[in-house]
Amino acid sequence: LGYIAVIAFIFLAGLGVIGAVAVVAGYNALANDPTLPDPATLTTYELPEETVIYDRTGTVELARFGEFRREVVTFAEIPPLLLDATTAIEDQTFWENAGFDPVGIIAAGLDSIRGNGRGASTITQQLVRTRLLDEALVQDPHRTVERKLKEIIQSIRVTQAFPGEQ
C-alpha cells in the first residue's frame, strides 16, 4: 500500500510540474506577443472632437462642425460623484484590483454554468479590449480564450503603467 501511495504521489507531482511548465510557457508566449502594444500608447490617443468656430475676439462661439458631440476634459474636471457612480456600476473593485478581478471571473464562470451568463470584465479590461487589442482578435468568436488571456495580461500592464494616486 505504501508503494502505491508513493507512486500516486510521484505521478500527481509530475502532472503538477507539467501543468506548471505549460502555464508558464503559455503565459510567456502570450505576454511576448509582438502584436500587444505598449500601454503607454494610451497617452497618445486623441479623441475626435467637433470643430468650434469663434468670432474674431475668440469669446463668442459662432458654430460647431463635426460628427462627434464631445468635449475632452481632464481627469480633474470630472466630478467625483460621476467617478464613484461609474465604478459602482461597472467595476466595484476598480480602485483595488490589479486590472482584472479573479473573483468576478470565477463568479461569472459559475453563473454561465448555471445558465445565467454575464460579463466579468473590469473597466481596465474594457479599455484594453477597445484600445490595445487587435480588432481581428476581438471579433473572432473562436479565439475568446486567447483574447481574455491577452486582456488580463494587458490589464495588469496598464495598471502597472498607470498606478494612479494613493
Side-chain angles (χ1 to χ4, degrees):
L1 188 62
Y3 290 119
I4 294 173
V6 170
I7 291 171
F9 174 76
I10 291 171
F11 176 73
L12 292 175
L15 284 179
V17 168
I18 291 170
V21 168
V23 167
V24 169
Y27 170 80
N28 282 333
L30 291 173
N32 294 323
D33 185 346
T35 64
L36 291 179
D38 182 6
T41 60
L42 290 172
T43 60
T44 61
Y45 181 73
E46 291 189 29
L47 290 168
E49 296 180 63
E50 293 177 301
T51 300
V52 181
I53 307 295
Y54 293 97
D55 72 347
R56 72 179 124 197
T57 65
T59 56
V60 178
E61 183 179 312
L62 299 175
R64 288 178 177 253
F65 299 98
E67 176 183 348
F68 301 98
R69 303 249 184 243
R70 73 168 61 105
E71 199 170 308
V72 177
V73 297
T74 65
F75 184 76
E77 294 175 296
I78 301 172
L81 185 62
L82 179 60
L83 293 173
D84 291 342
T86 302
T87 55
I89 296 297
E90 286 292 323
D91 184 2
Q92 294 176 5
T93 64
F94 176 76
W95 301 108
E96 293 88 32
N97 69 41
F100 72 104
D101 183 9
V103 175
I105 292 170
I106 292 168
L110 292 173
D111 284 349
S112 292
I113 291 170
R114 294 183 189 127
N116 302 322
R118 65 176 177 91
S121 294
T122 62
I123 293 172
T124 309
Q125 284 178 280
Q126 294 173 39
L127 172 68
V128 164
R129 185 180 319 121
T130 306
R131 299 282 176 235
L132 295 178
L133 291 183
D134 181 44
E135 188 66 28
L137 174 64
V138 173
Q139 298 299 326
D140 190 346
H142 303 294
R143 296 173 65 191
T144 304
V145 172
E146 178 187 357
R147 177 181 56 82
K148 276 296 190 187
L149 292 172
K150 286 183 177 182
E151 237 175 66
I152 290 171
I153 290 167
Q154 284 292 76
S155 295
I156 293 169
R157 289 177 177 172
V158 166
T159 303
Q160 290 171 344
F162 303 99
E165 300 174 7
Q166 296 299 322

